[in-house]
Amino acid sequence: MNVEMNSELKTEVNLNSRYIISRFAERGFNIHPDAVKVLEGLKDKDLDLNILIDRVCRTHNGAVITPDCILNVINLMRNKTQESKPLSSGTYVTSETSERIEVKVEKDITGNSSCEGGIEDFVLHFNSRFEKLSRILKRRVKPIPIGSLSRIKPNEAEIIGIVCEVRETSSGNYLIELEDKTGRINVIATGKLREIASELLGEEVIAVSGILKGRNMIANRIVFPDIPQNGKRPNKDFAIVFTSDIHFGSNAFLENSWNVFVRWLNCEVGNEYMRELAEKVKCILVAGDIVDGVGIYPEQDKELRIIDIYGQYEEAAEHLENIPKRIKIILSPGNHDAVRQAEPQPSLPKEFASLFPKNVIHVGNPAWVDVNGIKVLIYHGRSFDDIIMKIPRLDYSNPIGAIEEILKRRHLVPIYGGRSPLAPEKEDLLVIDEVPDVIHTGHVHTYGAKYYKGVLAINSSAWQAQTEFQKKVNLNPMPGNVPVYGPNGKIHRLRFYKGS
Ligand code: D5M
Ligand code: FE
Ligand code: ZN
């Protein structure tokens, strides 16, 4: 038994020393055997070996790396990598390099769910949606209650309502049924407004100004809560990586590409520019579908490499362990994860969350996260399937089109009753009541990054090749594309998968 253990240990030590020697050789350095021993004996898990090697190479002048040189760099890093404990339930600080990174989870449903799915919950939920969105619209119009129109009989009026139904009339115009707390009215959209009306999704809150004709209103303006032009671009000296839809456990998970991505984060691949960018990464945001899950769609088991959910999260945690500890990882769930399907979704339950390394922060879906002053709204993006189906000019290859629609409506799930199940929480947390700096989504497995009215809209592709199911519905994913928000608001598109 002892002999066996020793031989196992020996193999591991040999492997490590070979690894260390070849890492230095790649950078053009010889390393003294005593210096190798120093590195092998390193017990401090918070010190990332690859970063340490990189620092040693950058600071060393001679031909041979000595033990002293290694020890100097270790001391320097130890002083800097004292990770602090969370400040409060939602604030996490790390002080690895020059700029401290502070991640605040500002808003999500975790621990605050109160809905039971009854009629009353739905009434309160839609009231909350109406209140929040009409507050925004009231900055642009002066509405009167719909119920008072028949009494006051104004020629012209402005109203705010929730869209109940939209249909094309026999004359080619559109009839929009609009409701507020006091009543309901038919709004007729003619001329140029027909196009806007044809793209109404239902359940969104809009304002209309128009002329009253009998019991109808002829619209002359339709106003969405939309976001105002946002001029500021945060000027920071760190980078944020956005990703999603990793689908650990799926047999289509692109493990090789993922591993190159992780090596890049460890500053091991890419040219000088890419390595410097990797060094600046302080935070990775993951917008859902961390694992492939179990029983998500019929006959999914045929496409799984790991068939139990616990095993899938164990694998996910193991992979995330290889990401440098200086980087905070924010995990938000999606429709393949082990949380309730109805949105908003809480963060992963403890039994899975506890498997992950210390630098992982679990949040719900959606979640508002502040990363050193950059406000990011993370949302998996399940509502995009319904939005893309409803608006013919949109398609999966341009996910930013769908993001623009949700920003325009200031609501993440503007279609109720489609493919995105809704948990009728008393407060509608799916309203985009603040203007974020970045909105980060996933789900459709395609790439997009573009500024919309000054808000950076990102859809962060996937790490799963086309599945049999996606082949059948002609969905062409663009896996391995990683948007990186670099210093000064510059967007980089990194490609880790050949052919997309
Ligand atoms: O979703 C990945 C993509 O696949 C997303 O755009 C939706 C599409 N998808 C998933 N399930 C279906 C069904 N049942 N019909 C049509 N399209 C679908 P993911 O959440 O990763 O499975
Ligand atoms: Fe997905
Ligand atoms: Zn999904």
Side-chain angles (χ1 to χ4, degrees):
M1 186 66 183
N2 265 342
V3 175
E4 259 185 306
M5 272 180 70
N6 280 340
S7 68
E8 261 176 28
L9 200 67
K10 205 159 168 252
T11 320
E12 202 187 316
V13 169
N14 279 339
L15 260 179
N16 277 344
S17 63
R18 256 209 308 277
Y19 177 81
I20 291 166
I21 292 165
S22 64
R23 279 285 96 92
F24 280 101
E26 273 170 17
R27 307 280 294 260
F29 290 100
N30 289 317
I31 176 162
H32 192 280
D34 289 347
V36 175
K37 278 188 195 138
V38 172
L39 286 172
E40 280 173 347
L42 212 56
K43 296 225 162 48
D44 192 342
K45 274 195 172 162
D46 282 335
L47 282 184
D48 188 304
L49 185 64
N50 292 306
I51 295 181
L52 176 59
I53 292 174
D54 183 63
R55 293 274 152 85
V56 171
C57 293
R58 279 165 190 265
T59 50
H60 190 72
N61 292 322
V64 180
I65 308 279
T66 60
D68 275 350
C69 168
I70 304 271
L71 289 169
N72 281 344
V73 175
I74 289 174
N75 283 339
L76 227 94
M77 283 176 72
R78 276 209 180 116
N79 289 340
K80 281 185 177 176
T81 53
Q82 298 302 323
E83 243 184 8
S84 16
K85 294 268 174 289
L87 291 181
S88 70
S89 61
T91 308
Y92 308 83
V93 176
T94 166
S95 57
E96 201 276 326
T97 55
S98 54
E99 194 168 347
R100 277 160 61 92
I101 179 104
E102 194 172 335
V103 177
K104 280 187 246 160
V105 183
E106 297 199 320
K107 215 173 11 178
D108 79 3
I109 189 66
T110 311
N112 293 319
S113 174
S114 62
C115 80
E116 287 160 13
I119 294 283
E120 260 185 29
D121 286 338
F122 277 96
V123 173
L124 291 172
H125 176 86
F126 282 106
N127 276 347
S128 159
R129 179 180 306 191
F130 184 79
E131 284 303 328
K132 285 183 175 203
L133 291 170
S134 56
R135 217 171 297 142
I136 296 170
L137 283 162
K138 277 179 190 163
R139 292 180 208 140
R140 296 169 213 167
V141 295
K142 299 233 165 335
I144 59 170
I146 292 176
S148 68
L149 288 172
S150 56
R151 188 168 36 84
I152 305 174
K153 292 195 173 64
N155 284 337
E156 257 190 278
E158 291 179 325
I159 53 173
I160 292 176
I162 190 157
V163 176
C164 305
E165 210 190 317
V166 184
R167 55 180 186 273
E168 200 174 351
T169 65
S170 53
S171 52
N173 292 325
Y174 279 83
L175 189 150
I176 306 161
E177 255 184 70
L178 213 59
E179 185 181 61
D180 70 5
K181 281 181 200 160
T182 64
R184 222 177 235 232
I185 190 168
N186 288 340
V187 173
I188 314 291
T190 62
K192 280 188 181 154
L193 294 182
R194 285 179 306 179
E195 202 181 316
I196 296 174
S198 73
E199 292 188 354
L200 287 172
L201 304 171
E203 276 77 41
E204 66 248 76
V205 177
I206 56 169
V208 175
S209 85
I211 295 167
L212 281 148
K213 201 168 172 194
R215 283 160 61 186
N216 295 341
M217 175 181 268
I218 314 294
N220 50 35
R221 195 160 69 106
I222 294 177
V223 183
F224 287 93
D226 213 338
I227 55 165
Q229 185 68 39
N230 177 4
K232 73 175 169 65
R233 293 232 177 138
N235 186 3
K236 306 280 178 182
D237 190 34
F238 62 88
I240 305 176
V241 165
F242 299 88
T243 193
S244 63
D245 299 271
I246 315 172
H247 291 264
F248 286 114
S250 159
N251 60 19
F253 166 55
L254 295 163
E255 187 162 8
N256 290 342
S257 304
W258 174 265
N259 287 341
V260 179
F261 166 60
V262 174
R263 286 189 61 208
W264 169 68
L265 289 169
N266 279 292
C267 308
E268 288 175 25
V269 292
N271 57 23
E272 187 83 356
Y273 182 82
M274 287 288 290
R275 284 173 200 237
E276 272 172 21
L277 183 63
E279 263 190 16
K280 288 197 185 299
V281 175
K282 296 287 183 76
C283 184
I284 300 177
L285 303 176
V286 185
D289 287 358
I290 296 144
V291 298
D292 206 49
V294 175
I296 305 292
Y297 57 85
E299 301 198 77
Q300 186 193 15
D301 50 333
K302 291 186 184 145
E303 304 201 40
L304 289 178
R305 191 174 62 73
I306 303 171
I307 54 162
D308 75 291
I309 189 76
Y310 196 81
Q312 292 182 2
Y313 280 111
E314 268 182 335
E315 164 123 333
E318 268 169 37
H319 272 280
L320 297 195
E321 195 70 61
N322 297 328
I323 291 176
K325 299 293 178 285
R326 70 188 153 89
I327 300 175
K328 291 282 169 213
I329 305 169
I330 320 285
L331 285 189
S332 170
N335 54 305
H336 282 252
D337 286 296
V339 289
R340 75 174 182 199
Q341 287 287 300
E343 293 173 354
Q345 298 175 294
S347 62
L348 289 185
K350 260 209 183 99
E351 58 176 316
F352 303 123
S354 59
L355 298 170
F356 287 87
K358 272 199 319 222
N359 54 331
V360 171
I361 301 164
H362 295 274
V363 299
N365 167 44
W368 290 81
V369 176
D370 181 305
V371 184
N372 264 26
I374 299 180
K375 262 191 207 318
V376 186
L377 169 56
I378 309 172
Y379 171 58
H380 180 55
R382 197 167 187 186
S383 65
F384 294 170
D385 291 326
D386 291 319
I387 295 172
I388 290 171
M389 196 148 64
K390 184 77 197 266
I391 303 181
R393 69 183 161 79
L394 301 179
D395 71 73
Y396 283 114
S397 64
N398 171 27
I400 301 304
I403 300 184
E404 287 177 1
E405 295 308 314
I406 60 176
L407 288 175
K408 199 161 111 186
R409 289 162 177 83
R410 304 275 292 248
H411 201 280
L412 296 168
V413 190
I415 299 183
Y416 167 63
R419 282 204 233 148
S420 322
L422 179 81
E425 297 293 344
K426 288 180 185 63
E427 181 187 350
D428 185 354
L429 290 174
L430 301 167
V431 172
I432 307 172
D433 29 22
E434 277 179 74
V435 180
D437 295 309
V438 183
I439 177 164
H440 171 211
T441 60
H443 184 59
V444 294
H445 294 202
T446 49
Y447 175 92
K450 194 180 156 193
Y451 279 94
Y452 172 75
K453 296 196 172 182
V455 172
L456 176 59
I458 285 177
N459 202 85
S460 53
S461 137
W463 297 94
Q464 187 187 39
Q466 193 181 44
T467 61
E468 280 308 311
F469 173 80
Q470 290 168 354
K471 217 180 268 175
K472 275 186 217 146
V473 295
N474 204 19
L475 197 137
N476 295 305
M478 305 174 189
N481 280 267
V482 178
V484 181
Y485 183 90
N488 309 325
K490 202 170 162 206
I491 311 300
H492 301 75
R493 177 181 186 167
L494 311 188
R495 296 164 207 252
F496 294 95
Y497 180 70
K498 282 198 186 100
S500 86

